[in-house]
């Protein structure tokens, strides 16, 4: 795999073992390599972590669960999907991380997401370990009843692995408030216990937290705001492009707009829409969240907009902007896209999605002096607010929107500052990738070494 040349010599054999043990899992290998590329200074200065084989142990999930999910569609036909839960690391707290329902889901994708989640959760400073799960089920075009039956079947196996102190899932691609409701309902039915803290992203009237729905998108913008503040700049008047039009993208658009930015484009897997008057967030919420329609419908309601289908030569990243926020999916922003963005004068890229920027594109941004934030730092607001939801559930309390949003903003500022200070400590000033990986790794590694070889 390319990129191994940049590894510290002590890490090369460890990475070769990762490649061999996880053959055919390119996304997982990519995520591990990205972290390893930052760990050189640790191998030099913090021998205790290598002595305890922490780097080796951290790459191996504590537990991986794969199960059959049978369900019956509205016509009576039986379908079989595959369910996953990878419980990656519980050194800092119960496994915590979302569930993804998308046809592309496989073990490699769930493992890369779980691995990222370990360091992301550590960066929040909250007592949560890392895990991730999901299924290759495709919710697109399915009726509410079909979604409910699928969720019930999925939870009928998963429930035995969950618990407030064991493993606490949430949403991700294809899993929003509706799915969390069906999943929690089935958990409650099977266990006969109203354990609100067993899943997050719940509705506001049944144990959910204010600002959880908005948290990932708002958190990305709060993080980017701090990056801009550090160079005496702000969102005010900036031209912004946001990929995706799901949960993360919608609320990134909303917060950037509230901070005075001009958001001109959003996308889905079929195409992208350019709205030079600024994306109308209320319409976007209505089309995507309420009516569950495509972006073509948004464009139809705003005749001055231009909708373009994605193709070889057309991508949302061709739209000129000052700030790019990739908020759709992994590896959606490649080297050619990065080149185009840089040529068009992009100043900052902050990831809302997990690993949306390919390694070549990341290096291109960093070499061009573009401020770049990796998702494990900049999109941590979602899981941080999930932990706030768990806190409210545990104390049987509910906080108002402003209180919760203020806590979220404080957490994002804290993560930002920790990335900056850690990068300075290891002489890689301004490198948010190294700062995030080193800070997250050290927090997990310190706990792992205290807990012994387990
Ligand atoms: P949603 O399902 O709400 O939205 C996903 C969006 O991304 C949709 O617009 C979807 O388009 C688009 N998309 C999905 N797959 C592809 C693809 N292969 N190519 C192009 N576009 C695609 O998911 P979220 O907004 O919750 O998640 C988006 C990203 O953010 C993911 O990487 C997720 O892991 C990450 N994330 C989410 C968090 C959360 O709290 N929800 C927390 C931290 C990270 P279409 O409708 O056409 O499929």
């Amino acid at each position: 795999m390319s990129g191994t040349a940049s590894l510290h010599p002590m890490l090369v054999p460890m990475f070769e073992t990762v490649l061999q043990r996880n053959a055919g899992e390119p996304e997982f290998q990519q995520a591990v390599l990205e972290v390893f590329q930052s760990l050189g200074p640790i191998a030099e200065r913090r021998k205790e972590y290598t002595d305890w084989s922490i780097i080796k142990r951290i790459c191996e999930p504590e537990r991986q669960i794969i199960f059959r999910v049978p369900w019956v569609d509205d016509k009576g036909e039986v379908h079989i999907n595959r369910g996953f839960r990878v419980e990656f690391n519980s050194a800092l707290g119960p496994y915590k991380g979302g569930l993804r329902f998308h046809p592309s889901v496989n073990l490699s994708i769930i493992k890369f997401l779980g691995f990222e989640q370990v360091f992301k959760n550590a960066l929040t400073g909250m007592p949560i370990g890392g895990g991730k799960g999901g299924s290759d089920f495709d919710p697109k075009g399915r009726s509410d009843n079909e979604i409910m039956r699928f969720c019930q079947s999925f939870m009928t196996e998963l429930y035995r692995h969950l618990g407030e102190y064991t493993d606490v899932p949430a949403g991700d691609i294809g899993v929003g408030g509706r799915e969390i409701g069906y999943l929690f309902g089935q958990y409650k039915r099977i266990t006969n216990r109203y354990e609100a803290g067993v899943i997050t992203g719940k509705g506001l009237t049944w144990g959910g937290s204010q600002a959880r729905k908005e948290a990932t998108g708002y958190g990305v913008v709060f993080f980017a705001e701090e990056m801009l503040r550090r160079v005496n700049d702000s969102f005010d008047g900036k031209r912004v492009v946001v990929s995706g039009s799901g949960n993360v993208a919608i609320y990134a658009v909303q917060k950037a707009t509230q901070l005075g930015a001009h958001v001109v484009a959003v996308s889905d897997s079929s195409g992208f829409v350019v709205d030079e008057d600024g994306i109308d967030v209320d319409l976007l919420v209505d089309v995507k969240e309420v009516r569950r329609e495509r972006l073509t419908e948004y464009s139809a309601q705003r005749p001055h907009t231009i909708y373009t289908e994605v193709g070889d030569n057309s991508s949302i990243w061709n739209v000129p902007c000052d700030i790019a926020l990739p908020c759709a999916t992994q590896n959606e922003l490649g080297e050619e896209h990065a080149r185009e963005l840089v040529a068009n004068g992009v100043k900052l890229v902050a990831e809302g999605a997990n690993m949306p920027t390919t390694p070549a594109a990341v290096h291109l941004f960093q070499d061009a002096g573009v401020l770049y934030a990796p998702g494990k730092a900049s999109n941590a607001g979602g899981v941080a607010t999930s932990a706030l939801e768990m806190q409210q559930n545990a104390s049987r309390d509910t906080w108002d929107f402003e209180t919760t949003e203020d806590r979220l903003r404080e957490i994002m500022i804290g993560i930002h500052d920790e990335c900056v200070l850690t990068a300075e400590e290891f002489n890689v000033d301004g490198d948010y990738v190294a700062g995030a990986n080193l800070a997250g790794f050290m927090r997990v590694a310190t706990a792992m070494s205290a807990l012994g070889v387990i």
Side-chain angles (χ1 to χ4, degrees):
M1 172 171 265
S2 66
T4 46
S6 56
L7 290 182
H8 185 280
M10 190 184 288
L11 295 167
V12 172
M14 291 189 204
F15 187 66
E16 278 165 1
T17 306
V18 168
L19 291 180
Q20 185 214 326
R21 291 177 76 102
N22 305 280
E25 296 182 359
E27 293 86 1
F28 179 59
Q29 294 170 359
Q30 181 183 336
V32 173
L33 180 59
E34 193 254 7
V35 171
F36 273 28
Q37 281 170 335
S38 301
L39 295 187
I42 296 258
E44 282 299 328
R45 289 202 220 167
R46 301 286 176 90
K47 287 281 191 295
E48 69 270 25
Y49 296 143
T50 40
D51 289 349
W52 278 85
S53 294
I54 281 171
I55 301 179
K56 282 187 202 162
R57 279 191 283 145
I58 223 166
C59 298
E60 188 65 21
E62 289 176 15
R63 192 174 295 111
Q64 308 181 53
I65 303 145
I66 303 181
F67 52 100
R68 182 173 70 193
V69 190
W71 60 281
V72 184
D73 71 16
D74 288 345
K75 295 187 201 119
E77 198 178 318
V78 174
H79 297 260
I80 307 295
N81 284 98
R82 189 168 285 180
F84 301 89
R85 187 71 182 167
V86 173
E87 299 182 331
F88 222 110
N89 192 301
S90 61
L92 292 172
Y95 310 106
K96 182 88 197 85
L99 299 171
R100 174 177 293 192
F101 292 169
H102 193 273
S104 62
V105 163
N106 57 34
L107 188 60
S108 172
I109 288 183
I110 298 299
K111 277 169 69 179
F112 114 67
L113 290 165
F115 186 74
E116 292 271 298
Q117 196 82 44
V118 173
F119 304 102
K120 178 189 312 194
N121 294 3
L123 281 172
T124 67
M126 297 165 113
I128 41 179
K132 200 83 187 188
S135 173
D136 57 1
F137 171 69
D138 187 357
K140 273 203 195 91
R142 290 293 170 192
S143 69
D144 268 5
N145 278 331
E146 289 174 324
I147 299 280
M148 180 175 73
R149 285 195 293 274
F150 176 81
C151 289
Q152 290 175 341
S153 180
F154 185 85
M155 186 53 88
T156 300
E157 169 58 34
L158 189 67
Y159 88 95
R160 71 189 83 243
H161 308 289
L162 304 185
E164 189 184 343
Y165 299 105
T166 311
D167 186 347
V168 184
D172 190 81
I173 290 179
V175 179
R178 173 182 59 171
E179 292 74 18
I180 294 291
Y182 296 147
L183 290 163
F184 180 57
Q186 184 72 351
Y187 180 89
K188 185 176 83 59
R189 180 193 196 189
I190 294 172
T191 59
N192 194 30
R193 287 165 68 90
Y194 204 107
E195 282 179 55
V198 81
I199 196 163
T200 59
K202 299 181 293 296
L204 294 178
T205 54
W206 42 278
S209 172
Q210 293 283 357
R212 173 60 187 93
K213 185 175 67 173
E214 294 82 357
T216 310
Y218 278 22
V220 178
V221 173
F222 290 150
F223 193 97
E225 193 184 20
E226 288 309 301
M227 297 169 82
L228 290 166
R229 202 191 308 280
R230 193 161 173 262
V231 294
N232 297 317
D233 207 343
S234 76
F235 266 96
D236 197 26
K238 294 290 185 304
R239 202 178 147 87
V240 178
V241 164
V242 179
S243 67
S245 48
N247 173 257
V248 179
I250 290 173
Y251 293 98
V253 173
Q254 185 174 69
K255 185 49 73 182
T257 307
Q258 285 171 7
L259 295 181
H262 194 56
V263 185
V264 292
V266 290
S267 63
D268 59 23
S269 56
S270 317
F272 62 97
V273 62
V274 177
D275 186 341
E276 289 291 349
D277 286 357
I279 295 292
D280 178 336
V281 181
D282 292 340
L283 178 60
L284 191 62
V285 168
D286 184 49
V287 169
K288 298 300 291 190
E289 248 183 41
V290 181
R291 290 192 269 145
R292 299 179 188 278
E293 286 178 357
R294 309 295 295 162
L295 275 182
T296 40
E297 180 56 21
Y298 175 96
S299 195
Q301 304 270 325
R302 308 255 292 171
H304 63 276
T305 61
I306 299 172
Y307 177 83
T308 310
E309 278 184 21
V310 276
D312 288 346
N313 296 313
S314 57
S315 144
I316 189 168
W317 308 121
N318 300 132
V319 180
C321 61
D322 303 304
I323 295 174
L325 305 176
C327 295
T329 195
Q330 66 275 359
N331 293 327
E332 55 162 311
L333 198 170
E335 193 174 3
E336 284 311 310
H337 301 134
R339 214 181 298 286
E340 182 83 10
L341 280 163
V342 170
N344 285 329
V346 74
K347 304 279 182 307
L348 182 149
V349 178
E351 296 182 340
N354 286 308
M355 211 168 74
T357 315
T358 64
V362 174
H363 292 134
L364 206 142
F365 286 139
Q366 290 179 322
D367 291 347
V370 173
L371 292 172
Y372 165 77
K376 66 168 73 69
S378 52
N379 74 27
V383 73
T385 309
S386 276
L388 299 179
E389 183 174 330
M390 291 162 74
Q391 262 183 45
Q392 292 169 76
N393 294 149
S395 59
R396 305 206 184 285
D397 196 4
T398 51
W399 308 339
D400 61 25
F401 193 94
E402 289 68 30
T403 306
T404 321
E405 188 185 357
D406 285 350
R407 293 285 300 273
L408 166 66
R409 189 195 288 261
E410 274 169 32
I411 292 167
M412 296 314 295
I413 293 173
I415 297 173
H416 172 273
D417 293 352
E418 189 165 7
C419 291
V420 169
L421 291 174
T422 309
E424 279 172 11
E425 184 190 337
F426 286 94
N427 302 323
V428 279
D429 205 4
D431 184 340
Y432 284 90
V433 177
N437 285 336
L438 288 163
F441 175 83
M442 285 193 294
R443 195 163 279 160
V444 183
T446 305
M448 284 177 75
S449 79
L451 299 179
V453 178
I454 53 171

